[in-house]
Amino acid sequence: MSRMGDVLAGFHAAWEFESDSVLIRFERGIRTPRLYQALGERRIPHEAIAAVTLSPGKRGTVVLHAVPRPGADPLMEAAAGQLKDGCDPYRLVLPAERETLAEYYADELRAQITRDDGGPTDRYLVAAPEAPLQFKAYDGKASFDGKLVSFRWFWTGASSAKWKAGDQSFPVSDLSGIEWRSPEVFEGHLRLLRRETPVAQPAQADQDPAAVVFGLGYGPVHESLPFAASVLAAVRASGPALTSDGVGATSAPAVRRDPADIADRIRHLGDLHQAGLLTDDEFTAKKAELLAEL
């Protein structure tokens, strides 16, 4: 391998190549993706890497990509392929004139990982973001202290079903996994999957006391994804998950929403529209989506 401590600096991050791992330090500048800033730095053991690629990027750049092995990183497991390339922590973007240097490091790194088949791992090899963590969702505040996940509902956003259920606390030992749906798509949410559920969990996250829903400005990726990854790592550490992949997804059929909840969501969209946070087209489209569920 190259000399221990060699550093390859790119846009928003620098990779330091060590004898058994790559230490990724993310910048904290204004232009740096907020997820990178939240992560700070991450150590990626060579055994957590399945492959290394170097490809042309946008506008005179090249991209060095360390592809993680399935199951190696709780952050990427929680993301489940939903991260945009621009905030994928395994991608280092460099000026095109540094392609030769990047190729050298890519070859050196490949030489370190050929001794493994690159298949799925039976445990997490990359450390999860550390608890305590918290963030504000649209309908409540989520907190995690390392052992207990708590949801405290907001009267302005929580559905009547959640109000009736009351604030929730879930020991990680009672969970089998999580389901994270990016807040960058409509209907994003974080759902906790329980090991033993007497009845099926509601299909709609806004009706499920074991889930918080996202919205514009609520549950952003840089807050909710590290939270989800931290919970997922704690769940796996507490015992074998009942889901096949440690994350899982619900397959309950869609249900019709409470008309009162739909009306509340539409009023909230109207407030965002009036505040200039939604364009006319976005407001019309999202309102139509909600009305279609009645």
Side-chain angles (χ1 to χ4, degrees), residues 14-25:
W15 289 15
E16 183 173 338
F17 298 89
E18 301 188 345
S19 59
D20 60 352
S21 61
V22 179
L23 179 61
I24 302 177
R25 291 193 171 96

Side-chain angles (χ1 to χ4, degrees), residues 170-228:
F170 303 89
V172 293
S173 57
D174 291 349
L175 303 176
S176 64
I178 59 93
E179 177 185 82
W180 182 78
R181 294 291 175 264
S182 175
E184 295 178 347
V185 297
F186 197 51
E187 299 294 315
H189 63 261
L190 172 64
R191 189 194 303 266
L192 304 177
L193 305 178
R194 287 166 283 187
R195 290 182 184 276
E196 296 180 6
T197 306
V199 294
Q201 292 182 237
Q204 298 291 353
D206 68 344
Q207 301 296 311
D208 187 352
V212 289
V213 298
F214 305 145
L216 293 175
Y218 295 95
V221 171
H222 72 280
E223 293 180 358
S224 62
L225 181 58
F227 184 104

Side-chain angles (χ1 to χ4, degrees), residues 270-282:
D271 292 341
L272 295 174
H273 182 224
Q274 286 188 333
L277 297 175
L278 282 179
T279 66
D280 292 344
D281 290 344
E282 287 172 333

Side-chain angles (χ1 to χ4, degrees), residues 54-207:
L54 185 66
S55 58
K58 298 177 181 178
R59 296 185 294 277
T61 63
V62 292
V63 180
L64 180 61
H65 185 200
V67 182
R69 289 173 59 186
D73 184 348
L75 187 86
M76 303 307 285
E77 293 296 294
Q82 298 172 81
L83 278 183
K84 296 178 178 177
D85 285 350
C87 63
D88 182 339
Y90 285 82
R91 289 165 53 92
L92 180 66
V93 181
L94 304 129
E97 57 266 24
R98 306 193 74 185
E99 181 174 5
T100 302
L101 184 60
E103 184 63 61
Y104 165 74
Y105 283 111
D107 286 342
E108 291 285 297
L109 198 50
R110 288 186 192 109
Q112 296 295 312
I113 63 175
T114 52
R115 58 177 177 266
D116 195 280
D117 64 5
T121 63
D122 58 2
R123 61 187 175 88
Y124 290 134
L125 302 173
V126 182
E130 292 185 4
L133 293 165
Q134 62 182 34
F135 69 90
K136 287 184 179 180
Y138 171 69
D139 56 357
K141 179 182 178 181
S143 305
F144 179 50
D145 63 6
K147 295 182 179 180
L148 198 70
V149 183
S150 302
F151 294 157
R152 193 182 76 228
W153 308 123
F154 296 152
W155 68 269
T156 51
S159 64
S160 56
K162 291 183 177 179
W163 270 117
K164 290 175 183 175
D167 292 346
Q168 301 287 303
S169 292
F170 303 89
V172 293
S173 57
D174 291 349
L175 303 176
S176 64
I178 59 93
E179 177 185 82
W180 182 78
R181 294 291 175 264
S182 175
E184 295 178 347
V185 297
F186 197 51
E187 299 294 315
H189 63 261
L190 172 64
R191 189 194 303 266
L192 304 177
L193 305 178
R194 287 166 283 187
R195 290 182 184 276
E196 296 180 6
T197 306
V199 294
Q201 292 182 237
Q204 298 291 353
D206 68 344
Q207 301 296 311

Side-chain angles (χ1 to χ4, degrees), residues 262-276:
I262 293 287
D264 287 342
R265 297 290 290 275
I266 290 176
R267 277 195 290 273
H268 179 64
L269 287 175
D271 292 341
L272 295 174
H273 182 224
Q274 286 188 333

